[in-house]
Amino acid sequence: NTARLVTSFYRKECKMQLARFFVAIMLFFFISAQAVATDWTPPDNPDLLQILHEARLDMQAKRYESALEKHIWFHENAEQIDESISAVRTSFALYDWVRLGQEYPPTMDELLQVRGGLITKLINEEYDRNAFRDLVSINAVLNEDSKTTEIFKLLDSEQPEAANRAFNFAQPALIKDKEYELYVKYVNPQHDFLRMKHSFESGMLSANNSDSNTSRSDFYINSFRNKAATLVAVLVVNDRGVEAAEISTLAKEVLDDPQFHEELEDALAGTVPVPWP
């Protein structure tokens, strides 16, 4: 009886394994059929946003290879065609690329290869602003900001001038990783505050002259609040309380808002805000 039970068990197990094997084979051929290379070529006068939209439609229709080709082309060419597309290229387009990678793994492999090339370039060649910006953007959409911190630390130790130029892009990652001592090394409190004040005031002026002024003004207000509070808090945790108090006073004069003033008080107590957005 025992032998019969064991034999029956193994027969059932073999059937189950065989069934899983056939399902896997069928799934492989289904994905392969859906992801056949399309030899897609861009039109002579490409509509960049339309191409990005088509890539989304391709993903929904499981035309994965076609979607991947469009993402690669968009990433490599969009900014050369229209510089104003830069923010889309380093945000929405990359998020779409990652979503595609969740369904079609070769897509993620391509994105990681792009990142690897950027790292190699930054380490072995002269500092390139756009390369570091792209690296930061890719790390952000992959939720791997610590890799930005790693490369920035390398620049800090071997190419301090390049690190100084890269600091603006690296700031959110350094704050997330609580690298406050390294962060403050590249801070010039008065100069940095005047720059964020100018950016806020010119942004608000632009927003007030825009049809969508509410959303744009909210963006500039929130950005200024976060940057000012971060500067104050980082100075405090690095024992530069006098400078922090001076920046806090100046910031309150720029934006008279009770909630912002509370955020500055928290910053003066050493609470570093989460990077925004």
Side-chain angles (χ1 to χ4, degrees), residues 68-98:
L68 176 56
E69 288 177 12
K70 289 169 184 172
H71 275 296
I72 293 173
W73 181 90
F74 186 91
H75 189 77
E76 292 178 348
N77 298 280
E79 203 167 32
Q80 284 71 40
I81 295 171
D82 183 359
E83 289 184 1
S84 69
I85 206 75
S86 175
V88 173
R89 175 182 170 274
T90 55
S91 57
F92 298 111
L94 287 177
Y95 280 111
D96 282 355
W97 194 332
V98 171

Side-chain angles (χ1 to χ4, degrees), residues 108-146:
M108 193 64 71
D109 294 339
E110 289 286 346
L111 185 57
L112 294 178
Q113 284 185 32
V114 170
R115 182 173 69 176
L118 293 170
I119 292 173
T120 299
K121 182 174 186 177
L122 288 163
I123 292 175
N124 298 326
E125 300 177 21
E126 185 177 349
Y127 174 77
D128 183 293
R129 176 184 182 278
N130 290 339
F132 192 80
R133 176 206 59 189
D134 285 357
L135 175 65
V136 170
S137 300
I138 292 172
N139 287 337
V141 299
L142 292 174
N143 292 318
E144 295 182 353
D145 296 280
S146 59

Side-chain angles (χ1 to χ4, degrees), residues 26-78:
M26 290 173 66
L27 183 60
F28 171 78
F29 282 114
F30 174 76
I31 292 177
S32 298
Q34 296 295 324
V36 174
T38 60
D39 295 323
W40 174 82
T41 55
D44 292 334
N45 295 302
D47 181 329
L48 298 174
L49 294 180
Q50 178 61 29
I51 289 173
L52 195 57
H53 177 65
E54 288 175 7
R56 291 170 184 155
L57 294 178
D58 285 338
M59 182 183 73
Q60 293 170 8
K62 302 188 184 304
R63 295 188 294 267
Y64 296 133
E65 187 64 30
S66 179
L68 176 56
E69 288 177 12
K70 289 169 184 172
H71 275 296
I72 293 173
W73 181 90
F74 186 91
H75 189 77
E76 292 178 348
N77 298 280

